[in-house]
Amino acid sequence: MNQDVQWMQAALELAKQAGEVGEVPVGAVVVKDGKIVGRGKNSPVSGNDPTAHAELLALRDAAQTLGNYRLENCTLYVSLEPCTMCSGAIVNSRIARLVYGASEPRTGAAGSVVDIFSNASLNHHTSVEGGILAEESRQLLQAFFKPKRVNQNPLREDALRPMDEWFEGIPNYPWPANYIANLPSLNGVRLHYLDEGSTPDNAKQITYLCLHGNPAWSYLYRKMIPIFTAHGHRVVAPDLIGFGKSDKFKKAQQHSFEFHRQVLLDFIERLDLQRVVLVVQDWGGILGLTLPMAMPHRFGGVLVMNTTLATGTQALSDGFLSWRAWCQANPDFDVAKLFARGNKHMSAEETQAYNSPFKDRGHRAALHAFPPMVPEYENSEGADISRQALQFWRERWQGQSMMAIGLQDPVLGQAVMNDLRQNIRNCPPPMLLPHAGHFVQEHGQTIAEAAVQHFKLSSL
């Protein structure tokens, strides 16, 4: 066997070892008088050392073995063409000969990008030979990088993804993002959700499942989440597809009642949520109140705020019809101004946060889709399942209930909520918030404090 091949195989074995522990698979050996005197494998990640390239580690090892920082009459074998840092060290150590495997077209300093070794001004000249077991080295690198280059969350052609920087610096929203895209109903679109306060034995916790409406997102629950978690409870708050940090369909007609309902059902199953208190408002209730009858064993409580069940058997409120007409006439309405109008206590930074998911006009399809999607007639999509849900709440609901009403809501206000309360079995008198409007969660601290006193783990 050619000796260069023999020593390069030793370098490749070290490269494999590096790859097995998550380092870029590069290995190197220093040979003198037919013996390996130094070994090195890439270790910058594990060593928190940007200089821990295989070549440098092999040079250091050889210097220790030989008792001399001058490595004269030595040959360095490395599986990948050295970078400028390593090439400089090779020259400075007086290595006589460099043999490398695969070329490195992005950072190689032995001829691919620059050629340190051909510089006649240097006082030492190392001879260079490349291409020894180059294919084996390339295959090792490709096998390492291939899974990393596969997009684990590819974006569907019919969807858009909000940019992370759109959400930077928004006030009072410190929680890390969680994403899921492999639910059957999602079919590859990516759903964002918050999951806070979970403990290793979370099956023994209350889980507050907080569902937002239109045109809000999980930011709506920022005043309630800290109170729930401070009392030892778990909070899960998804952004519906089309809202918040979740992917956005490009076309309004891609949204449907059944799609969004099924996503929520799949989501609850995947996270295996137990002892759930369902927290709903607006579309969070229109959709969310249809969920417990499909999985009653998971739900022990419900907190209902300014929402309805649209069964198609009762006319939609005048307030809602006015809202729907306004949305149609103003398809590019400013979400921040909408929140500011009904919530004078909010800061400008808070109201602008509601615009964050919709900074690009193409991301607004859900805002256009949701108002006309509310079931209006008996044969409207979602009306039949809503009628079944209403019967469930009236006749079979066994859990604890709580209702909070923002009295300034012109869309789903006290009259609508009183009708709904009559259909929720054993629902006590509501908590009335005289200064709160439709987005009652903007007064959510008071509601959350009452909720943690109302819902008891022993009763769920």
Side-chain angles (χ1 to χ4, degrees):
M1 180 187 295
N2 182 295
Q3 283 196 337
D4 283 346
V5 172
Q6 175 187 344
W7 302 128
M8 187 60 74
Q9 286 177 338
L12 284 169
E13 184 58 39
L14 289 166
K16 290 176 185 177
Q17 294 175 19
E20 288 169 357
V21 296
E23 301 281 358
V24 175
V26 180
V29 296
V30 177
V31 175
K32 183 175 183 180
D33 299 330
K35 294 181 180 179
I36 295 177
V37 294
R39 292 176 173 84
K41 57 188 176 185
N42 259 11
S43 304
V45 177
S46 58
N48 295 314
D49 181 357
T51 70
H53 289 198
E55 302 93 310
L56 291 188
L57 297 180
L59 294 177
R60 292 171 187 165
D61 189 33
Q64 292 297 314
T65 300
L66 298 174
N68 194 336
Y69 73 99
R70 300 292 196 197
L71 301 179
E72 295 174 343
N73 301 315
C74 292
T75 299
L76 173 67
Y77 293 86
V78 59
S79 58
L80 184 67
E81 181 182 0
C83 66
T84 53
M85 175 181 69
C86 294
S87 297
I90 291 166
V91 171
N92 287 338
S93 66
R94 303 298 195 265
I95 286 285
R97 182 169 177 250
L98 165 67
V99 180
Y100 67 85
S103 297
E104 172 48 279
R106 294 167 300 178
T107 61
S112 291
V113 177
V114 295
D115 192 348
I116 300 295
F117 303 98
S118 66
N119 191 328
S121 300
L122 297 176
N123 63 355
H124 175 78
H125 299 286
T126 298
S127 66
V128 177
E129 183 174 353
I132 304 300
L133 298 184
E135 184 58 31
E136 288 83 346
S137 179
R138 275 193 293 268
Q139 289 177 2
L140 194 61
L141 290 161
Q142 288 169 358
F144 177 80
F145 283 112
K146 184 176 181 180
K148 300 180 184 300
R149 288 169 177 158
V150 172
N151 187 347
Q152 300 298 323
N153 292 289
L155 180 60
R156 278 175 32 173
E157 291 185 0
D158 59 353
L160 299 168
R161 182 161 294 163
M163 300 177 69
D164 291 342
E165 51 263 39
W166 292 358
F167 301 90
E168 292 176 357
I170 63 173
N172 305 314
Y173 192 81
W175 303 289
N178 301 276
Y179 294 99
I180 190 168
N182 61 351
L183 300 178
S185 53
L186 285 175
N187 196 25
V189 290
R190 192 175 76 168
L191 180 94
H192 167 260
Y193 64 99
L194 301 178
D195 191 347
E196 292 299 313
S198 179
T199 64
D201 194 11
N202 56 40
K204 295 183 179 180
Q205 289 182 285
I206 292 177
T207 295
Y208 285 87
L209 175 61
C210 301
L211 304 182
H212 70 83
N214 174 46
W217 54 291
S218 55
Y219 186 71
L220 186 64
Y221 285 99
R222 72 195 182 281
K223 297 181 179 181
M224 302 177 75
I225 292 171
I227 295 170
F228 292 148
T229 57
H231 284 78
H233 306 309
R234 182 184 183 186
V235 181
V236 176
D239 291 336
L240 298 177
I241 295 299
F243 298 90
K245 295 185 178 183
S246 292
D247 285 353
K248 313 291 191 294
F249 286 137
K250 292 180 180 180
K251 297 181 179 179
Q253 56 265 36
Q254 292 174 268
H255 292 275
S256 70
F257 188 105
E258 182 52 37
F259 166 77
H260 288 283
R261 179 176 185 266
Q262 191 59 51
V263 167
L264 290 171
L265 289 171
D266 290 350
F267 176 74
I268 293 165
E269 287 282 359
R270 178 63 60 84
L271 269 62
D272 192 24
L273 301 183
Q274 307 282 347
R275 300 177 184 268
V276 175
V277 172
L278 179 65
V279 185
V280 297
Q281 179 264 346
D282 190 80
W283 263 99
I286 295 171
L287 290 166
L289 291 174
T290 71
L291 305 177
M293 67 178 180
M295 43 182 64
H297 61 288
R298 296 187 180 276
F299 290 86
V302 64
L303 169 53
V304 189
M305 301 173 286
N306 293 63
T307 189
T308 189
L309 268 171
T311 63
T313 58
Q314 193 170 359
L316 298 174
S317 70
D318 291 341
F320 174 79
L321 294 175
S322 296
W323 157 251
R324 187 173 68 182
W326 183 84
C327 289
Q328 185 174 4
N330 301 274
D332 298 322
F333 69 89
D334 188 316
V335 178
K337 288 183 179 179
L338 176 70
F339 274 84
R341 187 170 62 192
N343 300 279
K344 302 298 184 184
H345 64 292
M346 291 178 65
S347 69
E349 292 77 14
E350 287 178 309
T351 58
Q352 281 300 324
Y354 283 105
N355 265 336
S356 297
F358 312 114
K359 290 187 177 181
D360 186 306
R361 187 175 184 181
H363 287 245
R364 297 176 63 92
L367 306 190
H368 303 157
F370 268 62
M373 210 165 71
V374 175
E376 185 171 8
Y377 306 106
E378 288 191 34
N379 62 348
S380 297
E381 183 185 359
D384 180 64
I385 201 74
S386 298
R387 289 192 293 271
Q388 295 177 44
L390 196 67
Q391 184 178 11
F392 166 83
W393 289 104
R394 185 170 55 239
E395 300 176 4
R396 304 199 305 278
W397 172 241
Q398 300 293 322
Q400 301 176 63
S401 304
M402 177 179 167
M403 180 173 283
I405 306 174
L407 297 182
Q408 299 302 313
D409 184 1
V411 179
L412 297 171
Q414 189 171 13
V416 174
M417 292 293 284
N418 283 338
D419 287 344
L420 180 60
R421 176 173 167 257
Q422 297 306 313
N423 286 285
I424 299 178
R425 190 167 178 264
N426 297 326
C427 185
M431 178 181 184
L432 303 179
L433 289 92
H435 302 294
H438 179 68
F439 301 104
V440 67
Q441 294 97 320
E442 288 299 335
H443 298 259
Q445 302 99 315
T446 303
I447 302 169
E449 291 287 3
V452 296
Q453 298 303 316
H454 182 79
F455 297 104
K456 300 299 182 183
L457 185 62
S458 59
S459 303
L460 293 181

